[in-house]
Amino acid sequence: MNLFVVIMIGWMAVALMMFLLWLLHFPIKNAALVDVGWSLGVPLVTMIYSFLLEAHTIREILVLSVSSLWGLRLGLYLLFTRILGHTEEGRYQNLRKTWNKHTSVKFFLFFQFQGILDLIFSVPFLLILRNPEQSIHPAEWFCLGLWVVAFSGNGIADAQLHRFLKQPANRGRTCREGLWRYSRHPNYFFEFLMWVALACMALPSSFGYIAFFIPLLLLYFLFRITGIPATEAQALRTRGEDYRHYQKTTSAFIPWIPKRSKSDLH
């Protein structure tokens, strides 16, 4: 099947899913549902690519396993920690205040934009599927191992944060447990590392170098748009001085040994 047609079918599928989630976000009054949709959109598009391209190799099994593990873990985590039994996150409440008028239309466009991002972030999987080699090169197994390490680190960071936030005594305090002692955003770091591993796996394919655009794009979003700036602004609003102290002593992204602040020295 023509590659352009394959991509268009993937886009239509994820656009339909995002439209249904946009409709669902009205009765539950929680736009964070878009994050669950974003998580499930990448494996959805990857499955469509796999079915239409008919790769039929062990590489296809690996690609479907990796994309499904990534999407289901993140999607279920967000569903149970941000949606079910929870009020809408502060960043989405702030969006409603900022947009003020025509909020429903703007959220529709926001949901659809996330669907387009799903299409973009599925590019490494598409490139890996198009690798004509039947056997898996040792370098690909190494990249897969790196992905597993990063995937595990991401899951551990999320679990540590969730366990910390469940304790009533920690309300208004900043998590400094486990990986969060060494990075303010260890989950983002390991997420980035996963996409680097996938880009490396895609490299042997034709135009595989294009996959490296994805981790670079992710860095841009994390540091400039929806990631670190929005998360830290919300943390400063809710935790104030405690989070400012955390910012001064803890690496923003790459896990590193915490610094000692001047107040700690006295």
Side-chain angles (χ1 to χ4, degrees):
M1 184 177 289
N2 181 278
L3 185 59
F4 177 77
V5 175
V6 170
I7 294 172
M8 287 298 100
I9 292 173
W11 177 41
M12 287 187 289
V14 78
L16 176 60
M17 181 189 72
M18 284 299 186
F19 171 69
L20 295 175
L21 290 176
W22 173 73
L23 292 177
L24 183 60
H25 102 276
F26 288 107
I28 68 171
K29 297 181 174 63
N30 196 332
L33 196 61
V34 70
D35 296 328
V36 178
W38 139 254
S39 306
L40 299 179
V42 170
L44 171 64
V45 173
T46 303
M47 287 178 192
I48 291 171
Y49 289 163
S50 174
F51 176 77
L52 295 177
L53 292 174
E54 299 180 337
H56 301 319
T57 65
I58 187 173
R59 190 174 284 103
E60 179 184 24
I61 297 172
L62 292 175
V63 164
L64 290 174
S65 299
V66 165
S67 65
S68 298
L69 277 173
W70 177 84
L72 289 173
R73 189 210 70 82
L74 182 58
L76 290 174
Y77 173 78
L78 293 172
L79 180 65
F80 286 103
T81 61
R82 309 281 174 84
I83 309 294
L84 301 178
H86 295 268
T87 56
E88 190 174 60
E89 272 189 90
R91 56 191 175 126
Y92 290 113
Q93 293 178 20
N94 287 328
L95 274 181
R96 293 184 188 280
K97 293 176 184 176
T98 302
W99 286 339
N100 194 16
K101 296 180 180 179
H102 310 296
T103 306
S104 297
V105 175
K106 290 175 181 177
F107 265 118
F108 172 79
L109 296 175
F110 184 76
F111 272 66
Q112 290 301 318
F113 176 68
Q114 296 300 314
I116 293 172
L117 285 179
D118 279 324
L119 204 67
I120 293 171
F121 274 79
S122 67
V123 165
F125 297 109
L126 175 62
L127 291 169
I128 296 169
L129 284 169
R130 285 173 56 79
N131 187 335
E133 293 294 328
Q134 294 293 311
S135 60
I136 307 296
H137 191 276
E140 291 180 273
W141 286 116
F142 175 81
C143 293
L144 184 63
L146 177 62
W147 185 89
V148 170
V149 170
F151 176 79
S152 302
N154 193 300
I156 290 169
D158 280 344
Q160 288 171 341
L161 180 61
H162 182 60
R163 184 172 61 245
F164 177 86
L165 294 176
K166 280 179 64 178
Q167 302 298 321
N170 292 330
R171 187 179 300 275
R173 296 176 58 219
T174 300
C175 178
R176 293 175 173 85
E177 296 180 357
L179 293 169
W180 298 86
R181 171 174 167 77
Y182 304 100
S183 169
R184 301 202 301 270
H185 305 281
N187 51 343
Y188 290 162
F189 170 76
F190 286 112
E191 182 74 24
F192 168 73
L193 198 59
M194 278 190 280
W195 291 100
V196 170
L198 289 172
C200 291
M201 282 188 72
L203 202 54
S205 303
S206 298
F207 303 102
Y209 59 87
I210 294 174
F212 282 94
F213 172 73
I214 302 304
L216 292 176
L217 180 64
L218 180 62
L219 278 183
Y220 177 75
F221 275 99
L222 288 178
F223 280 91
R224 292 293 182 182
I225 305 181
T226 61
I228 292 174
T231 303
E232 299 213 336
Q234 179 65 16
L236 287 169
R237 281 191 293 268
T238 56
R239 280 169 265 161
E241 199 57 41
D242 183 53
Y243 197 80
R244 287 189 183 89
H245 182 268
Y246 185 56
Q247 286 178 312
K248 292 175 184 177
T249 59
T250 310
S251 169
F253 190 61
I254 300 173
W256 197 250
I257 299 170
K259 294 183 290 187
R260 297 184 69 183
S261 69
K262 292 181 180 179
S263 61
D264 292 332
L265 299 176
H266 297 287

